[in-house]
Amino acid sequence: MDNRAHASDRAGILATRTRNGGPTMHPILKPALRRGWRDLNTVQCGVTRAHARILGPVDTATGSFLTLLDGTRGLPLLREEGQRMGLPDGHVDRLLHRLARAGLLDDATGGGPAADALRSRTEVMDRLRPDLAALSAITPEPSQGIRRLAARRATRVRVQGTGRVGAVVASVLSGAGVGQVEVMDGGCVEPWDVAPGGLPPESVGQRRDAAARTAVRRAAPGSPPRLAEDRGDGERPLSLIVLAPRDGLEAFAPDPLAAEPLIAAGTPHLYAGVIEGTGVIGPLVLPGATACAGCLALDRADADAAWPRMLAQWRSGRRRQVPACDLALATTVAGLAAAHALAFLDGAEPTLAGARWEVAAPGLAWRRRRERAHASCPCGASEQVKGEHTSVDREPHDTMAG
């Protein structure tokens, strides 16, 4: 089989579950990975390069046995079925180990009490089955997908900004199973705030935060469970804040003063927005470890002496114009920001930590930019990457000569 990273760990997990027939496991070949026969003796599970695995050689009896791995049978019954099909002693267990080593095996009943509680809510699970299938496909260990999905329901996230980007981000996070999604914004909904998946047309004139909370509730697959660790005020600790201001300038060049409380509290936060014809996602700030808004401001000023003066002019006064925010671009930014937020909440490597993605219309070519911790910023992140920020290895900023 291809791609055997962490294979011994997965095999060890399976061995623990199968030893002496317990605890009861109901093996299932990961349903999201489509199966097909490459030839008479080789099975491929999965379509795409990132997830496909090849199993071989596979004889006819073993191929028939694979169809029994549908999550409806426990290990003892599978062993009996294997014997009736004429498979050698121990063949079933060896096959399951091979599948586990390749990350192709899931457990239809595993995941612990939180997963069991989620499965018991049929109406919630029916909404989240595509998300569970996706998590199962990208996580190697059996039951890891359902564990992550159940963990989302114990998570609290705040989205600040309810325009065409922020309201969609909040709805997507809620619909993907995040248990508590808060929204913050001021003023009332304007016609140009409306977006599919975000604020609906009937919300025009309502308070933005109230309208966004309604959208979040509508998107949620059922109410989240009340947890023992909830504090008396019903709030859980914040896992992430998504900053999606309606003024895209505040996402492109975030205000260090506004970020200070988040840095002081150690709260991870992610920037996302649209300015002019450019969409911006990131950085994801891990306070004290990666570049923050202050680092970005200092770094930009180092590269362009006129930047602070220009920024002060752009921020001054009250804008009367409706800000440019292409609907398709805003939806793209919101979707990708939500995907990165979910990956972070699920425990994946935070690829936007210290980085940002920009995409500009009409070419829509994505550009990744590394954002480095600045030695002069009081956030302290530069201590984690001491010596990394130098004048010779800093990526240049885009400039325009005229």
Side-chain angles (χ1 to χ4, degrees), residues 158-211:
R158 177 182 297 157
V159 179
Q160 294 182 195
T162 59
R164 284 184 161 188
V165 174
V168 176
V169 170
S171 294
V172 171
L173 294 179
S174 180
V178 175
Q180 189 170 344
V181 180
E182 302 175 356
V183 286
M184 293 181 61
D185 207 345
C188 295
V189 179
E190 301 285 358
W192 49 84
D193 293 324
V194 172
L199 300 180
E202 58 269 23
S203 67
V204 173
Q206 299 176 10
R207 287 177 53 89
R208 282 195 177 96
D209 54 357

Side-chain angles (χ1 to χ4, degrees), residues 271-295:
Y271 293 96
V274 174
I275 180 170
E276 298 168 349
T278 297
V280 178
I281 305 162
L284 170 64
V285 180
L286 307 178
T290 64
C292 70
C295 296

